[in-house]
Amino acid sequence: MVRVVFLSENDGAIIQTSGLTKKYGDFAAVDGVDLSIKPGEIFGLLGPNGAGKTTLISMLCTTVMPSSGSASINSFDVVARPGDVRRNIGIVFQEQSLDDRLTGRENLELHATLYGLDAATASQRIASVLDLVELKDKADALVRTYSGGMRRRLEIGRGLVHYPKVLFLDEPTIGLDPQTREHIWAYVKDLAKREQITILMTTHYMEEAEMLCTRIAIIDHGKIIALGTPDELKSMLGGETVVLKLRDADTPAVREKVQATFPDAKLFDGSMVLSVKAAEKEISGVLEQARSAGIDVLETSMHRPTLNDVFLKLTGREIRDEKAGTADAMRAFGRMHRH
Amino acid sequence: MTMKNEVMGVYAVWLREFKRFYRDRGNLLGSVARPLMWFLIIGGGLGAAGQQATGGFSYFTFIAPGIIGMTVLFTSLFQGVSVIWDREFGFLKEMLVAPISRVSIVIGKALGGATSSLLQSLLIIGVAYAVGVTMPIAGALAMLPLIVVISVGFTALGLTIASFMDTMEGFNVIMNFIVMPMFLLSGALFPIAATGGLMATAVYLDPMTYGVEALRYAAIGVSSVSPVVSLAVVFAFTAAMSVVATVAFSRRK
């Protein structure tokens, strides 16, 4: 019985892991991860630095061997069939991995050859990829002359040259300025839609996960501690709230009116707190009801829980501690000054 | 993984090495300027200090195969060790996650090292003739296949070293304690028959000695070590290093 359910859940998953674990000595970098990701999803792994995101991706990319458990991509096992897995995936690493002594086009050509594409197919796909990432004009310039954002785009493009079924993006916008970041987000969204590929991305930027991902797994200390759509995760905190500060909120008359009009509302410290689905949409209706019931509203405010709140609640800490911020800044600095 | 993909993978890795090599103008210029300096300064200086037991050849002619050997040693080892740079600057990952075996990466790198060595050697042969080295054309040509074999061996040695080194910090150590002694002990600049004692032991333990001896025999027909022994050691070294490099490079974490 259990087996049947298990199989039917498996059905159609393009990325599947079961009890996937990686241990370094006694330390479990990834600890018993079960994932089932469907084609076309933009799936986010959200967690602080050191949570195990990169190790998890590395196992899926066949560069790190699992200690136990199993994982498959497009039904190819990562341990038994690494070659087939590799042909089915594209990877954009957290750290830059271009050859900056070659031109953008040469980097793509090299990639096409490494993935066994014949010359005609390669040149046609390279042309369309350059188009997609808007690097046509700079294609024949050496990569060392590229900006950070251009390099990132080239890397994303390179990951697509061999038509992968799954694209891994490991912190795709780390160290980039906000404008470039939004640019990359737009690409990724467009890409998933147009090319029909599945994207598995890691990030520790909340806005990034919220903007892009159809589903998110929050990972901490190597374990998945929550999984769902951004809305589902946020609704764990009780959804959105409308808060109305009332005149004479403590008087029995007002209390009675509130109770009659909004049976679910809570009165707290002179304010009425009401849980709603979409605060922005519903607030005018709530105000209307209050007015017709003769409730005098002094101030209004709304609160929408963020993924940050979810993370805070689940782990008891902020996703980006001071240390992580410094490490990122240093990494970005190193990238800029390396050459 | 099909054979065709592996061959394409080797080609891709080789092509990248080749492009990086010929695009590096400073390095190309250096590959002519450096041997020229060796010829003029060392050759001129030591040659003037007295004719040694160089088999009746001028000192210039005697050291020409040695200087070619030096170039092959330096170029190949650095090309192998360049994997550390690839790792540092990230490109190594691109190769490691490609659907080709590690063996193909090693072969591509080794062929890349051999190509660079061969092209530089051709330039140096030109320089050698220009400074008055008397070496038969047939001798110069006979060195070419040897250069390829020696180069593959030392590129593999470089790859092996790089597989065990995580940062570039150990690079000077390699330079000072491996490359320079290998070169200086190899008899590139002096007849090894003239050495004795501990020095002789070190000379005969240096694999590069046999490379230089083989090159010199090919070029001008003289050597202290029998050409059969030199050739055997050169081939054995290259075969052994290729296996070691492949194993070292293929370790999967």
Side-chain angles (χ1 to χ4, degrees):
Chain A
M1 190 61 198
V2 171
R3 196 184 161 81
V4 173
V5 172
F6 184 64
L7 280 175
S8 70
E9 271 178 3
N10 258 1
D11 205 18
I14 186 133
I15 302 173
Q16 183 81 44
T17 77
S18 163
L20 192 62
T21 300
K22 179 65 185 181
K23 282 191 172 164
Y24 294 102
D26 283 339
F27 172 69
V30 173
D31 194 358
V33 165
D34 300 308
L35 281 177
S36 178
I37 299 170
K38 296 204 162 39
E41 278 198 80
I42 304 182
F43 192 92
L45 289 172
L46 189 64
N49 285 338
K53 294 167 294 175
T54 299
T55 308
L56 176 54
I57 284 215
S58 301
M59 284 192 278
L60 294 174
C61 295
T62 77
T63 54
V64 169
M65 286 283 249
S67 307
S68 61
S70 66
S72 66
I73 308 273
N74 201 22
S75 76
F76 294 116
D77 185 90
V78 295
V79 176
R81 309 278 299 272
D84 290 307
V85 170
R86 288 169 180 212
R87 250 182 289 279
N88 277 284
I89 59 175
I91 311 162
V92 178
F93 300 100
Q94 189 168 336
E95 307 264 331
Q96 192 214 288
S97 65
L98 298 164
D99 187 336
D100 68 353
R101 305 290 165 128
L102 301 182
T103 67
R105 189 189 305 280
E106 284 172 331
N107 269 282
L108 299 180
E109 284 168 352
L110 197 59
H111 183 88
T113 314
L114 284 171
Y115 283 76
L117 302 185
D118 63 77
T121 313
S123 77
Q124 174 225 323
R125 287 201 195 160
I126 287 168
S128 76
V129 158
L130 284 170
D131 216 17
L132 179 75
V133 296
E134 290 172 34
L135 283 173
K136 232 171 198 163
D137 299 339
K138 288 285 276 182
D140 296 309
L142 292 180
V143 168
R144 56 196 313 197
T145 66
Y146 282 25
S147 68
M150 288 164 67
R151 288 173 187 225
R152 239 355 23 180
R153 266 149 50 202
L154 182 63
E155 287 188 283
I156 293 176
R158 183 179 66 179
L160 297 169
V161 166
H162 57 288
Y163 281 3
K165 295 237 167 29
V166 176
L167 183 65
F168 290 98
L169 302 173
D170 194 2
E171 300 278 1
T173 64
I174 200 164
L176 295 179
D177 59 89
Q179 205 187 338
T180 312
R181 182 172 299 160
E182 281 179 27
H183 213 76
I184 301 273
W185 289 347
Y187 274 124
V188 172
K189 262 195 150 153
D190 188 49
L191 203 67
K193 215 185 275 174
R194 244 205 290 178
E195 308 288 329
Q196 295 280 305
I197 60 177
T198 310
I199 294 174
L200 177 60
M201 60 183 287
T202 72
T203 182
H204 64 263
Y205 295 122
M206 292 294 177
E207 331 92 88
E208 186 160 282
E210 199 153 354
M211 274 283 299
L212 290 177
C213 298
T214 49
R215 279 199 303 157
I216 293 168
I218 294 180
I219 182 166
D220 194 28
H221 299 302
K223 286 191 169 106
I224 289 179
I225 52 175
L227 197 158
T229 66
D231 284 341
E232 281 167 3
L233 290 175
K234 285 186 281 184
S235 68
M236 287 169 57
L237 297 183
E240 305 187 358
T241 51
V242 169
V243 181
L244 304 180
K245 195 173 179 191
L246 307 178
R247 190 190 297 279
D248 304 326
D250 297 333
T251 59
V254 171
R255 215 175 277 182
E256 224 163 86
K257 282 184 204 167
V258 168
Q259 231 138 44
T261 322
F262 307 105
D264 297 331
K266 282 177 192 142
L267 277 167
F268 178 77
D269 201 19
S271 293
M272 176 191 113
V273 181
L274 187 65
S275 292
V276 294
K277 268 197 187 132
E280 261 174 22
K281 279 184 192 163
E282 294 174 43
I283 192 160
S284 61
V286 171
L287 285 171
E288 191 66 38
Q289 272 178 285
R291 188 158 3 138
S292 41
I295 301 168
D296 212 351
V297 177
L298 297 174
E299 276 173 31
T300 64
S301 62
M302 294 177 285
H303 181 69
R304 326 174 64 174
T306 62
L307 282 176
N308 213 17
D309 297 330
V310 177
F311 191 84
L312 196 61
K313 188 192 168 178
L314 288 169
T315 65
R317 58 202 158 85
E318 296 276 347
I319 191 161
R320 301 199 66 186
D321 49 21
E322 210 41 55
K323 252 182 170 170
T326 313
D328 286 349
M330 282 176 67
R331 203 176 296 148
F333 183 81
R335 232 192 317 261
M336 277 161 55
H337 292 268
R338 228 172 238 165
H339 305 288
Chain B
M1 298 183 200
T2 66
M3 196 60 212
K4 185 179 158 247
N5 283 345
E6 297 296 339
V7 172
M8 282 180 81
V10 170
Y11 171 70
V13 175
W14 172 84
L15 186 66
R16 167 171 179 262
E17 298 290 329
F18 181 64
K19 280 184 171 166
R20 285 178 69 98
F21 171 74
Y22 80 70
R23 214 159 273 176
D24 193 347
R25 304 285 163 192
N27 189 24
L28 268 181
L29 193 70
S31 70
V32 180
R34 222 175 305 120
L36 193 62
M37 280 194 289
W38 280 98
F39 273 124
L40 296 182
I41 299 169
I42 304 290
L46 286 183
Q51 198 78 344
Q52 297 140 319
T54 51
F57 290 92
S58 77
Y59 188 60
F60 268 2
T61 304
F62 177 79
I63 64 170
I67 288 174
I68 288 170
M70 168 190 81
T71 303
V72 173
L73 171 71
F74 279 50
T75 301
S76 311
L77 252 166
F78 288 138
Q79 200 122 0
V81 170
S82 72
V83 167
I84 299 173
W85 272 260
D86 290 345
R87 189 186 291 133
E88 192 74 11
F89 295 125
F91 189 79
L92 184 64
K93 281 185 185 165
E94 158 79 352
M95 289 191 281
L96 292 185
V97 298
I100 59 168
S101 67
R102 300 282 163 96
V103 182
S104 294
I105 300 175
V106 171
I107 295 174
K109 280 264 175 195
L111 293 182
T115 307
S116 306
S117 295
L118 205 55
L119 293 175
Q120 290 196 340
S121 298
L122 286 171
L123 288 174
I124 295 165
I125 289 170
V127 171
Y129 282 124
V131 298
V133 166
T134 51
M135 161 172 68
I137 298 281
L141 292 179
M143 283 196 290
L144 301 183
L146 272 173
I147 287 167
V148 171
V149 178
I150 296 169
S151 178
V152 168
F154 283 103
T155 310
L157 175 62
L159 273 172
T160 308
I161 295 169
S163 301
F164 291 102
M165 253 174 57
D166 285 336
T167 62
M168 292 197 264
E169 275 137 36
F171 187 73
N172 283 329
V173 178
I174 296 178
M175 192 57 207
N176 292 326
F177 291 96
I178 298 181
V179 184
M180 284 312 285
M182 269 190 165
F183 163 58
L184 291 173
L185 286 170
S186 70
L189 303 178
F190 57 85
I192 57 173
T195 61
L198 212 60
M199 169 86 168
T201 312
V203 164
Y204 286 107
L205 280 176
D206 178 3
M208 194 57 207
T209 299
Y210 304 91
V212 169
E213 285 292 303
L215 286 171
R216 188 169 287 137
Y217 183 83
I220 55 176
V222 295
S223 65
S224 306
V225 179
S226 137
V228 178
V229 174
S230 297
L231 268 185
V233 174
V234 164
F235 274 94
F237 175 75
T238 294
M241 281 325 300
S242 301
V243 172
V244 172
T246 305
V247 172
F249 195 67
S250 301
R251 289 173 305 158
R252 196 169 158 193
K253 282 176 205 151

